């Protein structure tokens, strides 16, 4: 079973003056993943709240690849910046989003990472079809290196954000000239109205996804429970089995035969004295029941 977490690359090292200034080193992500009990995972290459280029030295890149090969099964996923908006009608934001995504796919190639995950973003008044066409246009302008695939992530669907409907994902995959795939976030899908709280409901959603998008395009699942009810469009993650999706839904997701080869990446909270290690172990317990 491939299960892991979204881990930080930040850390510290001792300088010549004895201080420990913060620095980013991709190898920190491998060490954290192992400590949490994960065997695959996800990272940001930089702070997701600012426009910033990945700053990856040769030594760190080589070390990351070597440590990953030695200690993890993979895959890794790079999550794009939160500022990226593929659906925007604003030319300036479109260009910044394109530039940011180009740097992420290039970083993925350098690090031997298979996937770069991105939200479609919000059409901000342009309309659903125009927003989706805007996203297709940005993705088509990317130069994606061999061995790297862009994953379009499902969304909770609040406001003018797109991706809450499986048909949005299918449209982008169908209309784009690029070979794209999909990441489904269970909390997002649940918030968008896809019930995952019972075994029967999970089976129905998996079948619908296969019919609309195609399970062959599902390359990653962000495995998160939800603090809010189905269809509320509220995106707030809960510990595995302790939210509104609950134990029965989560158990069926992690044991569904059509999903057994798909890596699960957790973005669960760190609260109540529990973090990624607890949630990864919980996933394995549910899968073994």
């Amino acid at each position: 079973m491939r299960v892991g977490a979204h881990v930080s690359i930040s850390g510290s090292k001792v300088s010549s003056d004895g201080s420990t200034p913060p620095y980013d080193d991709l190898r920190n992500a491998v060490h954290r993943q192992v400590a949490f009990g994960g065997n695959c995972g996800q990272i940001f290459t930089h702070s997701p709240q600012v426009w910033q280029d990945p700053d990856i030295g040769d030594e760190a890149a080589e070390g990351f690849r070597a440590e990953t090969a030695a200690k993890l099964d993979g895959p890794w996923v790079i999550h794009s910046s939160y500022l990226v908006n593929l659906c925007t009608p604003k030319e300036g934001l479109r260009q910044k989003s394109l530039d940011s995504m180009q740097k992420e796919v290039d970083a993925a190639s350098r690090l031997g990472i298979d996937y770069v995950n991105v939200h479609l973003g919000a059409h901000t008044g342009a309309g659903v079809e125009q927003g989706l066409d805007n996203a297709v246009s940005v993705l088509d302008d990317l130069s994606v290196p061999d061995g790297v695939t862009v994953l379009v992530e499902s969304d909770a669907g609040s406001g003018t954000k797109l991706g809450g409907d499986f048909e949005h994902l299918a449209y982008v995959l169908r209309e784009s000239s690029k070979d794209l795939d999909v990441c489904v976030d269970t909390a997002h899908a649940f918030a968008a109205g896809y019930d995952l709280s019972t075994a029967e409901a999970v089976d129905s959603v998996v079948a619908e996804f296969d019919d609309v998008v195609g399970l062959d395009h599902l390359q990653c699942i962000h495995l998160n429970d939800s603090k809010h009810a189905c269809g509320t469009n509220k995106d707030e993650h809960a510990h595995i089995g302790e939210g509104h999706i609950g134990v029965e839904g989560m158990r069926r997701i992690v044991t569904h035969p059509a999903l057994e080869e798909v890596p699960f990446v957790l973005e669960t909270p760190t609260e109540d004295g529990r973090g990624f290690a607890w949630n990864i172990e919980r996933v394995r317990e549910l899968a073994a029941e």
Side-chain angles (χ1 to χ4, degrees):
M1 183 179 196
R2 292 182 293 171
V3 58
H6 181 123
V7 295
S8 173
I9 66 171
S10 65
S12 61
K13 61 181 178 181
V14 178
S15 298
S16 57
D17 62 359
S19 64
T20 55
Y23 83 117
D24 291 341
D25 188 325
L26 274 296
R27 288 167 290 193
N28 291 324
V30 181
H31 303 156
R32 287 190 173 98
Q33 199 66 253
V34 171
F36 291 141
N39 55 19
C40 64
Q42 181 174 266
I43 59 170
F44 292 120
T45 61
H46 57 82
S47 170
Q49 307 286 0
V50 297
W51 295 112
Q52 183 178 339
D53 295 346
D55 182 16
I56 303 167
D58 291 340
E59 181 184 355
E62 292 172 8
F64 175 84
R65 295 176 73 126
E67 294 272 307
T68 293
K71 298 178 180 179
L72 301 176
D73 297 328
W76 281 108
V77 179
I78 290 176
H79 195 301
S80 64
S81 168
Y82 291 143
L83 300 181
V84 168
N85 185 353
L86 304 182
C87 294
T88 182
K90 300 176 181 178
E91 182 56 37
L93 181 54
R94 179 194 188 278
Q95 189 60 49
K96 285 184 175 180
S97 298
L98 174 60
D99 291 346
S100 179
M101 283 296 295
Q102 187 62 57
K103 291 180 174 66
E104 298 289 23
V105 296
D106 290 342
S109 178
R110 189 176 179 202
L111 294 167
I113 291 179
D114 297 320
Y115 303 113
V116 174
N117 182 73
V118 64
H119 296 270
L120 289 175
H123 67 71
T124 62
V128 172
E129 186 171 353
Q130 185 60 58
L132 294 174
D133 285 340
N134 291 344
V136 170
S137 173
V138 175
L139 292 166
D140 282 355
D141 282 352
L142 284 174
S143 177
V144 182
D146 291 342
V148 177
T149 301
V150 175
L151 304 182
V152 181
E153 182 178 345
S154 66
D155 198 87
S158 61
T160 66
K161 291 181 179 178
L162 301 180
D165 190 319
F166 288 162
E167 180 54 43
H168 296 170
L169 308 177
Y171 182 94
V172 172
L173 268 60
R174 184 170 61 246
E175 296 299 319
S176 176
S177 63
K178 292 290 189 289
D179 291 327
L180 306 171
D181 283 318
V182 170
C183 170
V184 168
D185 185 306
T186 54
H188 293 175
F190 188 73
Y194 294 97
D195 186 13
L196 297 167
S197 61
T198 67
E200 294 77 14
V202 170
D203 290 350
S204 177
V205 171
V206 170
E208 182 175 356
F209 180 90
D210 191 27
D211 183 58
V212 175
V213 182
L215 282 166
D216 56 320
H217 287 295
L218 182 61
Q219 300 301 327
C220 181
I221 292 175
H222 283 172
L223 190 67
N224 303 300
D225 212 323
S226 174
K227 290 187 177 182
H228 302 282
C230 183
T232 58
N233 302 121
K234 294 181 178 180
D235 176 19
E236 192 174 5
H237 300 174
H239 292 306
I240 299 299
E242 299 202 352
H244 285 262
I245 295 177
V247 170
E248 183 182 349
M250 280 290 163
R251 181 187 294 114
R252 183 55 177 165
I253 293 168
V254 301
T255 59
H256 195 291
L259 307 179
E260 62 183 2
E261 297 299 325
V262 183
F264 296 108
V265 175
L266 279 64
E267 301 168 322
T268 46
T270 298
E271 59 187 17
D272 305 324
R274 290 170 290 181
F276 286 137
W278 185 91
N279 281 280
I280 289 172
E281 180 60 25
R282 185 69 176 125
V283 170
R284 291 204 167 98
E285 289 172 354
L286 289 174
E289 290 178 358

